Amino acid sequence: MLANVTIAGVASSIPEKVVTNTELESLVETSDEWITKRTGIRTRHVAVGETAVGMAADSAAKALAMSGVLRESVGLIVACTITGEDLTPSMASSVQKALGIQNCAAFDVSAGCTGFIYALVAAASLMETLGAEAAIVVASEAMSRFTDWNDRSTCVLFGDGAGAVVLRRSETARVLYPILSATPDTNDVIVLRKDSRSTPFSPARNTATEYIRMKGADVFTYAVGVLEDTLKRLSAFCADKPFTKVIPHQANEKIIDYVMRTMNMGRDAFFLNIASYANTSSATIPIALCDAWEAGWLRQGDRVALAGFGSGLTSGGVVIDWDLPDKP
Ligand code: ACO
């Protein structure tokens, strides 16, 4: 059961360096036209000095400052990433250290590009179980460090960045109708295998890819089906007060276009910022939430659906009654 919570702060942290499609033409055989037409991506931000952990801490600190929640009130930090620098400590523990929060629960979630939805639902549920007053949920990815820059079928798709929200207890529940789902990836359509080391007792496995590998057409088919299904299920849950806006995982504009048509919803009901950031995996949804609010697209009182899909193969969604005052 989710606690009665509201989103009290939102922020993002984006690397400075911007890489355009045209710049990628010098790395692989591709073109700005191909990338824009097939994906809607025009630029991506790429970490140079930034780290996934550093961007997570930066976005979490900004979201916390905005929320006005005191450090002492944070009972829980849930981080999600597939590209964090450390296996241990967790990204959440590193964020806790960076923010100087002395005592709270802290752990990471790994659910591919659906990570933020999983982390949000885990945090809102655990706030009830632990009696926590507030929680930080943060997604951060340095996809560029796990991208094969010789592989044109993947390197044009990804970008780096982080986004965070602060959840605070509220009178009324404003994070609603969680859906978390997963189906086995029997065809290995999205894989990022860790480096495999030999030990005195066993040779290295030779299955490591170290870079993200994807069967794009299979992922596309999965994505459109599951995104539509998640949004239809969310619609059925809140038939009495339908959501009027959608912030989907930003993997490919064509996936979103397809679902807009099948859901019979207009383009202005969907927030899109993939053109600027590409696919930042678990961070796309909180970065989009932040941009949507800052741009004045997301207004106080709006009911918005968040929906994601990713490796695993995972998927999920949630409905938010947005209660932050409009950006001045
Ligand atoms: N530039 C130019 N040509 C390219 C490029 C490129 N960057 N990439 C692939 N091509 C070529 C292929 O080699 C192929 O050439 P061929 O016909 O000579 O063999 C041709 O373009 C068509 O390739 P497809 O893979 O069939 O292209 P498609 O139209 O399916 O688009 C894409 C590929 C954009 C990857 C699409 O399949 C897609 O978006 N899939 C979903 C990706 C996604 O959602 N990922 C999210 C999950 S990732 C995660 O969870 C971490």
Side-chain angles (χ1 to χ4, degrees):
M1 185 179 155
L2 304 190
N4 283 3
V5 293
T6 190
I7 292 181
V10 63
S12 66
S13 182
I14 308 294
E16 259 178 48
K17 185 169 178 59
V18 176
V19 176
T20 63
N21 290 345
T22 309
E23 286 174 81
L24 294 182
E25 291 174 9
S26 62
L27 295 180
V28 287
E29 202 182 324
T30 190
S31 66
D32 175 40
E33 194 201 347
W34 192 98
I35 302 168
T36 309
K37 202 167 147 211
R38 302 284 182 121
T39 69
I41 297 165
R42 291 182 181 276
T43 61
R44 70 283 297 138
H45 290 249
V46 172
V48 179
E50 299 90 347
T51 61
V53 165
M55 292 187 289
D58 184 48
S59 60
K62 289 191 281 196
L64 190 63
M66 178 185 160
S67 71
V69 167
L70 299 174
R71 282 171 170 63
E72 305 78 74
S73 303
V74 175
L76 174 66
I77 301 173
V78 185
C80 54
T81 187
I82 55 169
T83 56
E85 286 79 23
D86 306 315
L87 286 173
T88 197
S90 70
M91 178 178 274
S93 290
S94 297
V95 168
Q96 179 189 16
K97 181 161 90 174
L99 269 55
I101 296 172
Q102 291 310 312
N103 188 17
C104 70
F107 66 95
D108 288 0
V109 161
S110 171
C113 299
T114 324
F116 181 75
I117 304 285
Y118 270 72
L120 187 67
V121 172
S125 312
L126 272 174
M127 282 175 73
E128 182 70 13
T129 308
L130 302 174
E133 186 53 36
I136 296 171
V137 183
V138 54
S140 183
E141 305 286 4
M143 299 299 288
S144 61
R145 303 230 162 83
F146 294 88
T147 297
D148 180 351
W149 290 98
N150 295 311
D151 174 12
R152 69 176 180 176
S153 72
T154 53
C155 76
V156 302
L157 302 174
F158 297 104
D160 301 338
V165 297
V166 171
L167 297 180
R168 182 173 57 204
R169 277 181 181 272
S170 57
E171 286 286 310
T172 319
R174 297 188 186 281
V175 175
L176 304 154
Y177 309 121
I179 296 174
L180 298 182
S181 185
T183 186
D185 182 1
T186 49
N187 199 21
D188 287 348
V189 300
I190 313 171
V191 219
L192 171 47
R193 298 201 196 283
K194 273 183 199 149
D195 191 10
S196 143
R197 294 171 194 171
S198 62
T199 76
F201 313 103
S202 107
R205 285 176 291 116
N206 59 1
T207 53
T209 64
E210 295 176 51
Y211 296 118
I212 194 148
R213 300 288 179 211
M214 194 173 66
K215 294 174 181 156
D218 292 345
V219 177
F220 195 98
T221 307
Y222 167 73
V224 292
V226 85
L227 189 55
E228 182 184 350
D229 181 59
T230 303
L231 290 174
K232 284 195 166 148
R233 286 174 66 194
L234 291 176
S235 284
F237 285 149
C238 54
D240 55 326
K241 187 187 169 200
F243 57 82
T244 54
K245 296 182 175 177
V246 179
I247 298 187
H249 170 46
Q250 316 271 316
N252 183 331
E253 196 175 307
K254 302 295 152 212
I255 293 172
I256 301 170
D257 281 344
Y258 185 94
V259 173
M260 274 176 206
R261 285 197 297 276
T262 56
M263 292 290 294
N264 210 13
M265 291 178 82
R267 177 162 263 266
D268 53 1
F270 283 72
F271 188 79
L272 280 133
N273 62 2
I274 186 169
S276 309
Y277 301 109
N279 179 354
T280 56
S281 190
S282 69
T284 70
I285 291 178
I287 292 172
L289 257 185
C290 184
D291 279 8
W293 175 70
E294 288 189 341
W297 183 88
L298 192 57
R299 312 286 298 270
Q300 192 169 27
D302 279 345
R303 175 163 276 200
V304 59
L306 312 183
F309 53 86
S311 56
L313 296 165
T314 55
S315 61
V318 72
V319 171
I320 308 281
D321 282 336
W322 190 254
D323 196 34
L324 277 179
D326 295 345
K327 177 86 174 168

